[in-house]
Amino acid sequence: MNGEPDNKKQQVNESLYSKHLKVYPQRIAGTFRRLKWMVLGALLGFYYIVPWIRWDRGPTVPNQAVLLDMAARRGYFFDIEIWAQEVYYLTGILILGAVGLFLATALAGRVWCGFTCPQTVWTDLFLWAERLIEGDRNKRIKLDSGPLTVSKAGKKVTKHFLWIVISLLTGGAWIFYFVDAPTAAINLLNGTASTTLYGFVALFAGFTYLLAGWAREQVCIYMCPWPRFQGSMFDEDSLLVTYEEWRGEPRGKAKQKDINNNLGDCVDCDLCVNVCPTGTDIRLGQQFTCIGCALCIDACNSIMEKLGRPANLIAYDSISNQLSRAEGKPAKKRFFRPRILAYLVTLAAVMGVMVISLATRDRIEINIQRDRAPLFVTLSNGDIRNGYTFKILNMEPHDNSYVLRTDELKGALINVIGIENKGASEVVLKVGPDSIGTFRVFVRMPLEDLENKSNEIEFVLVNLKTGMEIEQETVFYGPEK
Ligand code: SF4
Ligand code: SF4
């Protein structure tokens, strides 16, 4: 084909060191294309709107409904506030995401990759911009293989400019999930935002431009680990984009069918390959390069319709259905299979644990660190003193007062730096709303009351308002007995 990019060649020449052949996906209309546009619109709309939703949590806490506040090390999701210390909830969310993805894959193949993955959504958007400026597949191939002219340079510059604008408006908007969106937007526009903020917008926009504009299908084929192991999640009842080989082969041009009645329904027009964003020929069977976008279904259906042949030569179908149809039997539909039930049970269990844990979690935590050097100090009156750094995490939107006392060690007296007392069995600590109170706590004991070199000591913190108690054990050291 005179060096012209050819998607079919890409299939045949595929080797680790083969030159990358640019894919020029052709525009196609149809049910799945419409569905993809709708999903793209909904996802981008959701992505844009979410950081602007306000949520009143009181005067001391940010009022952005969804916010990952890295500086304060907290995540806000409407009424749920997760502190860095509660990172196990993030683990729960990741498990839910992973199992949800396994479930979707077992049910409908690479539906995530083909419709909702950000790489797919952004690549679709960039391809739309490319078509707008450079035209559809044949025009783009001609433009790229032709000499550099003023018109070609103009089109290329305009396309990259449009890509950069889209990258800034879409990828760059990611920043609004990490800072107060309205303030950041005003600061970015009037030039008063911090260098860090501009830097992150440039970083996110740069990656969007690179991955969706330049790398495109190579991210799915070479970079993403998901295609490598998702094959193990399919079974013969998973819905996949499949070619009805028993019906399509042997393929041959439409006119030849009048002469040779043994030909199948595939007219070898290559439209299914030409519209494919990864350059895959689905007629060769299931391949990890197929992202399940279903555009080849639209392409083939448009040809079948023109020829008056039955639709769905390429279809979203299961292997077991295909086999039944090939044998002229009714299609088998099996939704509830053991793996689907296993994924559903796992999802329900993890979700249940998370909901119960969120509903019953304490909004106060303590963290005690014992001084390691010196282990203890002998005071002038002979008493032994140990030092502790005491942190109280008050996760409530109002201030709280707590009584701190010790159990286990009878006769222990507490001193807290910054709080006037000469040593008492208990002391009152105050912590502001939604903040961490850090206190230097000293405990002293008469030497004769210490039984061992290492003694158990339990700190008890009592919320004065609710009476709720939290205990934490640590050690009180003294000299060798
Ligand atoms: S083969 Fe079909 S479903 Fe697979 S990526 Fe290409 S167009 Fe999409
Ligand atoms: S679009 Fe349909 S008819 Fe054309 S080559 Fe592909 S499978 Fe065959």
Side-chain angles (χ1 to χ4, degrees), residues 206-387:
F207 270 106
T208 309
Y209 173 72
L210 202 67
L211 295 178
W214 289 90
R216 288 189 189 171
E217 81 287 350
Q218 294 176 80
V219 174
C220 314
I221 297 175
Y222 304 112
M223 290 164 67
C224 179
W226 184 227
R228 264 81 193 164
F229 59 85
Q230 65 176 339
S232 61
M233 278 154 227
F234 302 150
D235 58 24
E236 65 280 7
D237 293 300
S238 304
L239 289 175
L240 306 170
V241 177
T242 47
Y243 168 65
E244 297 194 330
E245 192 177 338
W246 55 274
R247 201 189 118 192
E249 302 296 322
R251 64 187 85 153
K253 296 294 170 201
K255 281 184 191 150
Q256 289 171 350
K257 193 152 186 170
D258 302 334
I259 309 160
N260 181 359
N261 233 348
N262 289 330
L263 285 181
D265 277 342
C266 174
V267 291
D268 211 13
C269 63
D270 280 350
L271 188 61
C272 51
V273 189
N274 293 345
V275 299
C276 178
T278 66
T280 302
D281 186 347
I282 195 67
R283 294 170 301 173
L284 301 176
Q286 294 300 318
Q287 295 145 73
F288 80 97
T289 54
C290 170
I291 59 168
C293 69
L295 292 180
C296 52
I297 301 180
D298 283 343
C300 193
N301 278 347
S302 72
I303 298 294
M304 293 298 115
E305 197 184 339
K306 270 187 212 148
L307 297 173
R309 294 181 187 178
N312 295 330
L313 177 57
I314 302 175
Y316 232 120
D317 207 353
S318 67
I319 303 292
S320 61
N321 279 354
Q322 292 276 6
L323 289 175
S324 300
R325 286 211 187 89
E327 291 166 9
K329 295 177 188 162
K332 288 183 193 164
K333 288 213 167 29
R334 218 158 59 94
F335 180 80
F336 286 110
R337 288 111 63 192
R339 70 171 64 201
I340 301 294
L341 291 176
Y343 291 145
L344 285 172
V345 168
T346 313
L347 271 180
V350 177
M351 229 181 267
V353 169
M354 281 188 70
V355 168
I356 292 170
S357 152
L358 277 168
T360 57
R361 68 183 169 159
D362 292 335
R363 299 318 286 141
I364 170 179
E365 266 187 35
I366 54 174
N367 180 294
I368 304 169
Q369 276 184 324
R370 240 193 61 79
D371 288 358
R372 289 174 189 274
L375 277 179
F376 63 89
V377 170
T378 306
L379 301 177
S380 55
N381 66 352
D383 281 2
I384 302 300
R385 193 184 77 182
N386 279 206

